[in-house]
Amino acid sequence: MTSESNDLHGMVPDHHDTAVLLIDVINHLDFEGNEELLKIAEKLGKQIASLKEAARKLGIPIVYVNDNFGKWKSDFRNVIENVIEENKPGKPLAKLLLPTEDDYFVLKPKHSAFYCTPLDILLNHLGTETLILAGIAGNICVLFTANDAYMRNYKIIVPKDCIGSNTSAENNAALEQMENILKADIRPVAEIIKDLKRSALRKNSNQEKPDEIIRK
Amino acid sequence: MTSESNDLHGMVPDHHDTAVLLIDVINHLDFEGNEELLKIAEKLGKQIASLKEAARKLGIPIVYVNDNFGKWKSDFRNVIENVIEENKPGKPLAKLLLPTEDDYFVLKPKHSAFYCTPLDILLNHLGTETLILAGIAGNICVLFTANDAYMRNYKIIVPKDCIGSNTSAENNAALEQMENILKADIRPVAEIIKDLKRSALRKNSNQEKPDEIIRK
Amino acid sequence: MTSESNDLHGMVPDHHDTAVLLIDVINHLDFEGNEELLKIAEKLGKQIASLKEAARKLGIPIVYVNDNFGKWKSDFRNVIENVIEENKPGKPLAKLLLPTEDDYFVLKPKHSAFYCTPLDILLNHLGTETLILAGIAGNICVLFTANDAYMRNYKIIVPKDCIGSNTSAENNAALEQMENILKADIRPVAEIIKDLKRSALRKNSNQEKPDEIIRK
Amino acid sequence: MTSESNDLHGMVPDHHDTAVLLIDVINHLDFEGNEELLKIAEKLGKQIASLKEAARKLGIPIVYVNDNFGKWKSDFRNVIENVIEENKPGKPLAKLLLPTEDDYFVLKPKHSAFYCTPLDILLNHLGTETLILAGIAGNICVLFTANDAYMRNYKIIVPKDCIGSNTSAENNAALEQMENILKADIRPVAEIIKDLKRSALRKNSNQEKPDEIIRK
């Protein structure tokens, strides 16, 4: 029925020109050739967690975009339990990035977060213009998602220490492609966070100006 | 990552040339003009339940396609709890049609079950050629979904006693449109079920022939 | 390559909050059950032409959205020649509505103008918020397009004397569906044109105000 | 209207499990950083032409997928005239690859040949399972298209001497990505053509077998 679905009222209470996409961070990580990635998984998880924490404080919405596991049930809770309980190699990463009540979730059936998902509609309601991408694999699902974001005219930020691939060579090739072709900002997460805070300050001070004028 | 998402292996264990779509049956039913619909809700629920039961026995996959409620979380369990616990007018209908472990779920952000959802991919993996549509509202989400199914070349069945709209006039207009333009089979659910059983028998007897020949 | 395709610069020189969609007006009209439609085709063509003329004068972009004929060639000139030269029943309608250099064209492979076409991207670049639909058939391609426009949050206008279907009963049912469910404005074209002119006047006078203030 | 658009009858007379996509070969080639690409443009054009010629002889459909130039008009003839008559750097390449009556054309509004175009529907009607990609730029429109083809489960062939990018480093990185992640066959065009011929011979001899059996 239309009452709620028509305009998605109530579903998307947040509004911000920036959104964070956490791509496949809830992940078994049990695929072939994962050795190098497993070694950096915890560090990667902490860096992504720092991005998430900063975004949360600044009111920037977080959207988990994740593969489904098991039978298709549009049930993200199930996906999380699956990774945690089965004690898969991805458990430590997942535990660093457990979603909370404030987060949005989109299940994706293929590599790109945009392909056959409601992501674009959700971002439209959020007012998103800039996407910050983080997660794995940098040269597959992150890159596919970045390409699709670029075709949809989003500004793209991919903090280079917030994505991981099977090998660092593959990770670097993906970063180069995103920087050169997609015009992505790939500076490290610490610098990105600094910029986000600065921009929030600027917005706040702009919003306060009219009041100040009135007060004087 | 690609290991599972690439081909959706493991996600879609069923295979059948027919699938049942249950559209927005988990529903608050608390919208304006719902009086006539509420009166038939229980009867409608029982008829849809008979369709679901017959399909289940014949190995025909059931796909719930439902609006989300509250914040977008790809969490169908949450949607169900929401309708049941809040004691909304839609509770009796929802209780007749509670999903089980065997069912598939797709959350849709807009009226059509195909728009910005993974439904088409899911049906592809199921091998679906014919869609049986049931649910509410017949002249909105069911009709929008039927149109989109028609453009994607699915054969369409809409048992006339398995869809409901605010008024029976609107319901009939939608059925007429689906029969005339979309070439839908709109016979009552009892006849549809009879056909499904007959077709299953035929398939079984065909599959047994080679064995019989060998045995003799 | 990206230089031009990236942002469609140069392709969409117009900008207006309203656009006119002319749906399948270049049409053989040689299908079964066309007798009633053929009788009104010329009158319909003149009414649509009056809409097109008014829109053109007001700077409102016109987008032809049309089925392809013959082999898929993304070649709308070919489609037009095909209808005109073959002396099909649709020739008089087509001749009343021949496109000019100013018009946009989108070829659609299925019923809805939005399905697997660049229409949504084009409208985005035009800045379209309100769509005026005209053409044939009212209960098929126009209705399918209107549904898809509604899901994409466009405001919809369908002048009731600018669409035609095989029978007037079918046409009226489609209009009723579009008015009731899609909240479409279905007043006759003369009233719609009056509103468009009034709104253009209002915009012009608003734009002149700042200057007037300065001048004084 | 539906008569022809419903199933695309008459539009897609060919049927083959393989199709060739020629991506942006009708191109001004007047973008920044084109020096290295211009030097190889003629050689590239001849290699692509050899692929096209071989495909044509084997009954493999050729689909031009090309950016539009100027105002959006779904008019590929116009695009061709534009490149040829304006004497742009891309003229020699375009002249080597002028389309004929047998070819299909799809205009794309963005980088990927699949995004907001009817390509997937067209390939479905052609019966395509394997796509041979050729054209420019290898690391942009070809790569974006290859990614989207991979998500749609097409088998991918990209003859390494049939794509060009601004620099050979970028071209090689794209080829590596397509070979490793998309499992593309990137052998040179001569080897690909040999395989296509062999496979055609095999099919023909298989089709003749039943006759031979009957004859004996």
Side-chain angles (χ1 to χ4, degrees):
Chain A
M1 302 297 296
T2 48
S3 50
E4 299 204 355
S5 72
N6 182 24
D7 46 15
L8 289 170
H9 270 332
M11 286 187 179
V12 185
D14 305 293
H15 199 87
H16 203 286
D17 62 8
T18 301
V20 172
L21 291 195
L22 300 187
I23 299 171
D24 283 334
V25 296
I26 309 298
N27 199 306
H28 289 141
L29 288 186
D30 57 357
F31 38 85
E32 234 182 299
N34 65 356
E35 298 78 13
E36 199 179 326
L37 181 55
L38 284 185
K39 277 185 203 144
I40 62 151
E42 198 179 341
K43 195 174 156 206
L44 180 64
K46 284 182 182 162
Q47 273 146 201
I48 300 178
S50 77
L51 171 65
K52 190 185 166 184
E53 179 61 13
R56 205 190 51 74
K57 282 190 185 153
L58 294 167
I60 295 174
I62 320 282
V63 185
Y64 283 75
V65 198
N66 217 94
D67 281 353
N68 205 8
F69 302 105
K71 207 160 172 174
W72 191 271
K73 284 196 191 297
S74 298
D75 186 345
F76 192 53
R77 264 193 269 178
N78 196 271
V79 170
I80 299 167
E81 288 161 13
N82 196 288
V83 169
I84 302 289
E85 281 163 22
E86 292 193 22
N87 236 326
K88 296 276 177 144
K91 184 174 169 179
L93 179 68
K95 287 191 72 172
L96 281 164
L97 292 167
L98 286 180
T100 68
E101 276 303 299
D102 291 327
D103 302 323
Y104 296 89
F105 313 139
V106 169
L107 286 174
K108 66 185 173 65
K110 289 284 188 177
H111 312 74
S112 165
F114 286 93
Y115 182 56
C116 294
T117 74
L119 180 62
D120 210 22
I121 294 185
L122 178 59
L123 296 178
N124 237 304
H125 279 81
L126 288 170
T128 310
E129 292 167 17
T130 298
L131 278 175
I132 307 177
L133 307 188
I136 49 182
N139 64 326
I140 310 181
C141 292
V142 175
L143 180 58
F144 276 56
T145 300
N147 283 344
D148 275 359
Y150 181 65
M151 285 200 289
R152 285 158 181 82
N153 299 322
Y154 291 99
K155 236 185 111 229
I156 302 170
I157 298 172
V158 189
K160 62 168 85 177
D161 47 0
C162 285
I163 67 169
S165 308
N166 268 357
T167 69
S168 60
E170 289 173 319
N171 214 45
N172 289 336
L175 283 166
E176 206 174 312
Q177 171 84 0
M178 294 191 276
E179 184 174 34
N180 293 340
I181 305 300
L182 314 183
K183 317 297 171 209
D185 180 350
I186 64 165
R187 288 173 301 147
V189 66
E191 291 186 39
I192 300 299
I193 290 176
K194 236 182 273 177
D195 274 12
L196 292 174
K197 286 184 183 164
R198 220 175 287 143
S199 148
L201 275 176
R202 216 171 19 239
K203 272 189 220 166
N204 283 341
S205 75
N206 281 346
Q207 285 170 349
E208 279 163 20
K209 267 180 197 152
D211 280 323
E212 290 169 2
I213 293 167
I214 290 167
R215 260 182 253 128
K216 280 168 200 173
Chain B
M1 301 300 295
T2 49
S3 50
E4 298 203 355
S5 71
N6 181 23
D7 46 15
L8 288 170
H9 272 329
M11 286 188 178
V12 184
D14 304 294
H15 199 88
H16 203 286
D17 62 9
T18 301
V20 172
L21 291 195
L22 299 187
I23 299 172
D24 282 334
V25 296
I26 309 299
N27 199 307
H28 290 142
L29 288 185
D30 56 357
F31 38 85
E32 235 182 298
N34 66 356
E35 299 77 12
E36 198 179 327
L37 181 55
L38 283 185
K39 277 184 205 145
I40 63 151
E42 198 180 342
K43 195 174 154 206
L44 180 65
K46 284 182 182 163
Q47 273 146 199
I48 300 177
S50 76
L51 171 65
K52 188 186 167 184
E53 179 62 12
R56 205 191 49 74
K57 283 189 184 154
L58 294 168
I60 295 173
I62 321 281
V63 185
Y64 283 75
V65 197
N66 216 93
D67 281 354
N68 204 9
F69 301 105
K71 204 160 177 173
W72 191 271
K73 283 196 193 298
S74 298
D75 187 345
F76 191 54
R77 265 193 269 178
N78 196 272
V79 170
I80 298 167
E81 288 160 14
N82 196 289
V83 169
I84 302 290
E85 281 163 23
E86 292 193 22
N87 237 325
K88 296 277 177 142
K91 183 176 169 179
L93 179 68
K95 287 191 73 173
L96 282 164
L97 292 167
L98 286 180
T100 67
E101 277 302 301
D102 291 327
D103 303 323
Y104 296 88
F105 314 139
V106 169
L107 288 174
K108 65 183 175 67
K110 288 286 187 175
H111 311 76
S112 165
F114 286 93
Y115 183 56
C116 294
T117 74
L119 180 62
D120 210 21
I121 293 185
L122 178 59
L123 296 178
N124 236 304
H125 278 82
L126 289 170
T128 310
E129 292 166 17
T130 299
L131 278 175
I132 306 177
L133 307 187
I136 48 184
N139 64 328
I140 310 179
C141 292
V142 175
L143 181 58
F144 277 55
T145 300
N147 283 344
D148 274 358
Y150 182 65
M151 285 200 289
R152 284 158 182 82
N153 300 321
Y154 291 99
K155 238 187 107 227
I156 301 169
I157 298 173
V158 189
K160 63 168 81 176
D161 46 1
C162 285
I163 67 168
S165 307
N166 270 356
T167 70
S168 60
E170 289 173 318
N171 214 44
N172 290 336
L175 283 166
E176 207 173 313
Q177 170 85 1
M178 294 192 275
E179 184 175 33
N180 293 340
I181 304 302
L182 314 184
K183 317 299 174 207
D185 180 350
I186 65 165
R187 288 172 301 147
V189 67
E191 289 186 42
I192 299 298
I193 290 176
K194 233 182 275 175
D195 275 12
L196 292 174
K197 285 183 183 165
R198 219 176 288 142
S199 148
L201 274 177
R202 217 169 19 238
K203 269 188 222 165
N204 282 340
S205 76
N206 281 345
Q207 285 170 348
E208 281 165 17
K209 269 182 196 150
D211 280 323
E212 288 169 3
I213 292 168
I214 289 166
R215 261 183 252 129
K216 282 167 197 172
Chain C
M1 301 299 296
T2 47
S3 50
E4 299 205 354
S5 72
N6 182 23
D7 45 16
L8 289 168
H9 271 332
M11 286 187 180
V12 184
D14 304 293
H15 199 88
H16 203 286
D17 62 8
T18 301
V20 172
L21 292 195
L22 300 187
I23 299 171
D24 282 333
V25 296
I26 309 299
N27 199 307
H28 289 142
L29 288 186
D30 57 356
F31 37 85
E32 235 182 299
N34 65 357
E35 299 77 11
E36 198 178 326
L37 181 55
L38 283 186
K39 278 186 203 142
I40 62 152
E42 199 180 342
K43 196 174 155 208
L44 180 65
K46 284 181 182 162
Q47 273 145 202
I48 300 178
S50 76
L51 171 65
K52 189 185 165 183
E53 180 61 14
R56 206 190 50 76
K57 282 188 185 153
L58 295 167
I60 295 174
I62 320 282
V63 186
Y64 284 74
V65 198
N66 216 93
D67 281 355
N68 205 8
F69 301 106
K71 205 160 174 175
W72 190 271
K73 285 197 193 295
S74 297
D75 186 345
F76 192 52
R77 265 194 268 177
N78 196 272
V79 170
I80 297 167
E81 288 161 13
N82 196 288
V83 169
I84 301 290
E85 282 164 21
E86 292 193 20
N87 236 327
K88 296 277 177 144
K91 184 175 167 178
L93 179 67
K95 287 191 72 172
L96 282 164
L97 292 167
L98 286 180
T100 68
E101 276 303 300
D102 291 327
D103 303 323
Y104 297 89
F105 314 139
V106 170
L107 287 174
K108 64 184 175 65
K110 289 285 188 177
H111 312 74
S112 165
F114 286 95
Y115 182 56
C116 294
T117 75
L119 180 61
D120 210 22
I121 293 185
L122 178 59
L123 297 178
N124 237 304
H125 278 83
L126 289 170
T128 311
E129 291 167 17
T130 298
L131 278 175
I132 307 178
L133 307 187
I136 47 183
N139 63 327
I140 310 181
C141 292
V142 175
L143 180 57
F144 277 56
T145 300
N147 283 344
D148 274 359
Y150 181 64
M151 286 200 289
R152 284 158 181 82
N153 299 320
Y154 291 99
K155 236 185 111 230
I156 301 169
I157 299 173
V158 189
K160 62 168 82 177
D161 46 1
C162 285
I163 68 169
S165 308
N166 268 357
T167 70
S168 60
E170 288 173 318
N171 214 43
N172 290 337
L175 283 166
E176 206 173 313
Q177 171 83 0
M178 293 191 276
E179 184 175 35
N180 293 341
I181 304 300
L182 314 184
K183 317 297 172 209
D185 180 349
I186 63 165
R187 289 173 300 147
V189 66
E191 291 186 41
I192 300 298
I193 291 175
K194 234 181 275 175
D195 275 12
L196 292 174
K197 286 183 182 164
R198 219 175 290 143
S199 148
L201 276 176
R202 212 166 26 235
K203 270 189 223 166
N204 283 340
S205 75
N206 281 346
Q207 285 169 348
E208 281 163 19
K209 267 179 200 156
D211 281 322
E212 289 168 5
I213 293 167
I214 290 166
R215 260 181 254 129
K216 280 167 199 173
Chain D
M1 300 299 294
T2 49
S3 51
E4 298 203 356
S5 72
N6 181 22
D7 46 17
L8 288 169
H9 271 331
M11 286 187 179
V12 184
D14 304 294
H15 198 88
H16 203 287
D17 61 9
T18 301
V20 171
L21 292 194
L22 298 187
I23 300 171
D24 282 333
V25 295
I26 309 299
N27 199 307
H28 290 141
L29 288 185
D30 57 356
F31 38 86
E32 233 182 300
N34 66 357
E35 299 77 13
E36 199 180 326
L37 181 55
L38 284 185
K39 278 185 204 145
I40 62 151
E42 199 181 340
K43 194 175 155 206
L44 180 64
K46 285 181 183 165
Q47 273 146 201
I48 300 178
S50 75
L51 171 66
K52 190 186 166 186
E53 179 61 13
R56 205 191 50 73
K57 283 189 185 154
L58 296 168
I60 295 174
I62 319 283
V63 185
Y64 284 75
V65 198
N66 217 93
D67 281 355
N68 205 8
F69 301 105
K71 206 160 174 173
W72 192 271
K73 283 197 193 296
S74 297
D75 187 345
F76 191 53
R77 263 193 271 178
N78 197 270
V79 170
I80 298 167
E81 289 160 14
N82 196 287
V83 169
I84 302 289
E85 282 163 22
E86 293 193 22
N87 235 326
K88 296 277 178 143
K91 184 175 168 178
L93 179 68
K95 287 192 73 172
L96 282 165
L97 292 167
L98 286 179
T100 68
E101 276 304 300
D102 291 327
D103 303 323
Y104 296 88
F105 313 139
V106 169
L107 287 175
K108 64 184 176 67
K110 288 284 187 176
H111 312 74
S112 165
F114 286 93
Y115 183 56
C116 293
T117 75
L119 180 62
D120 210 21
I121 294 186
L122 177 59
L123 296 179
N124 237 304
H125 278 82
L126 289 170
T128 310
E129 292 166 18
T130 299
L131 278 175
I132 306 178
L133 307 186
I136 49 185
N139 64 327
I140 311 181
C141 292
V142 175
L143 181 58
F144 277 56
T145 301
N147 283 344
D148 274 0
Y150 182 64
M151 285 201 289
R152 285 158 181 83
N153 299 322
Y154 291 99
K155 235 185 114 231
I156 302 168
I157 298 173
V158 189
K160 64 169 82 178
D161 45 2
C162 285
I163 68 169
S165 308
N166 269 357
T167 69
S168 60
E170 287 173 320
N171 214 45
N172 290 335
L175 283 167
E176 206 174 313
Q177 170 84 1
M178 294 192 275
E179 183 175 35
N180 293 339
I181 305 301
L182 314 183
K183 316 298 173 207
D185 180 349
I186 64 165
R187 289 173 300 146
V189 67
E191 289 186 40
I192 301 297
I193 291 176
K194 233 181 274 175
D195 275 10
L196 292 173
K197 286 183 184 166
R198 220 176 287 144
S199 148
L201 275 177
R202 218 171 17 240
K203 271 190 220 164
N204 283 340
S205 75
N206 281 345
Q207 284 169 350
E208 283 164 18
K209 268 181 198 154
D211 280 322
E212 289 169 2
I213 292 166
I214 289 166
R215 263 182 250 130
K216 281 167 197 173

